[in-house]
Amino acid sequence: MSDEHDPKKKSSGYDPSRRKFLKGVGVAGAGAALADHFISAEAKTAASESVATGEPIAGTVNIALEVNGAKRAVTVEPRTTLLNALRNNLEPAVTGPKLVCDMGSCGACTVLMNGNNVYSCLVLAVDAVGKKVTTVEGFGSPDHMSAVQSAFVEYDGSMCGFCTPGFVTTISAYLKKNPDPSLDEVREACKGNFCRCGTYPKVFEAALAAAKSGVRV
């Protein structure tokens, strides 16, 4: 008699029977249910803590942002970045700050918050409540450009344009602190902004020209 038909051989080996399969499924299911129990318990604990602190952990919140001197109401998730709130949640949108790296390394999304340069892709919208946010739109318009904006146009300080709003914002803020900088000082001030087109010489030239113009920054 062959081994595969020998009851003794079969009982001593692996038995892929339906009973064992169902038993295994039952154990796995029990484990999953137990895991769900602990996860649910943790979620309930987090929810209880959220209620106690008054800080939401899910859903949306209604906040007011002061953008370029105007109060703007917006509804966001607590995890929404300031950049996404400006570009995607406000109506009408503020699209000057650009979403490029989304990790705080290029400076294309630079805005001012209470006068300080920040990467808006790294700041939560809820953390900007009660603070003054200034984007590139806040320095001037196509009809009434600031000195820095005018200099960027005159000296070809932009190439593809994605980094331009960040550079204009950074330079505008810096010239308010140092209205007569040297080239090295301008270069140092712009070290947080990256231009993939390599237009740095024109950017720096525009910054120095704006400083010498005596026109409002």
Side-chain angles (χ1 to χ4, degrees), residues 5 12 28 34 36 44 50-51 53 58 66 79 94 104 112 116-117 125 136 139 153 163 182-183 187 202:
H5 294 294
S12 62
L34 188 62
D36 286 343
K44 289 178 180 178
S50 173
V51 171
T53 59
E66 184 176 340
R79 64 178 179 172
V94 177
L112 301 185
N116 297 314
N117 288 13
V136 66
F139 295 103
V153 173
C163 70
S182 65
L183 174 59
R187 289 166 61 94
K202 295 294 185 180

Side-chain angles (χ1 to χ4, degrees), residues 72-93:
R72 304 287 301 275
V74 60
T75 300
V76 297
E77 293 183 14
R79 64 178 179 172
T80 302
T81 63
L82 176 58
L83 176 60
N84 275 319
L86 293 171
R87 293 182 60 85
N88 303 317
N89 296 85
L90 285 183
E91 184 59 44

Side-chain angles (χ1 to χ4, degrees), residues 49-125:
E49 292 176 352
S50 173
V51 171
T53 59
E55 298 180 1
I57 59 172
T60 58
V61 291
N62 298 317
I63 61 175
L65 298 175
E66 184 176 340
V67 182
N68 299 326
K71 290 285 186 180
R72 304 287 301 275
V74 60
T75 300
V76 297
E77 293 183 14
R79 64 178 179 172
T80 302
T81 63
L82 176 58
L83 176 60
N84 275 319
L86 293 171
R87 293 182 60 85
N88 303 317
N89 296 85
L90 285 183
E91 184 59 44
V94 177
T95 58
K98 297 295 184 283
L99 175 62
V100 179
C101 72
D102 204 23
M103 57 190 299
S105 64
C106 74
C109 68
T110 301
V111 302
L112 301 185
M113 195 157 68
N114 285 349
N116 297 314
N117 288 13
V118 299
Y119 294 142
S120 57
C121 72
L122 297 184
V123 177
L124 294 177

Side-chain angles (χ1 to χ4, degrees), residues 135-168:
T135 70
V136 66
E137 291 93 339
F139 295 103
S141 66
D143 295 327
H144 299 88
M145 290 188 289
S146 68
V148 175
Q149 291 169 331
S150 296
F152 263 73
V153 173
E154 183 178 353
Y155 291 89
D156 294 326
S158 61
M159 187 68 75
C160 74
F162 274 92
C163 70
T164 305
F167 272 107
V168 169

Side-chain angles (χ1 to χ4, degrees), residues 174-181 211-212:
Y174 181 69
L175 293 184
K176 286 183 179 295
K177 299 175 181 178
N178 183 5
D180 187 24
K212 294 177 181 178

Side-chain angles (χ1 to χ4, degrees), residues 202-215:
K202 295 294 185 180
V203 168
F204 301 149
E205 188 176 0
L208 293 174
K212 294 177 181 178
S213 69
V215 182

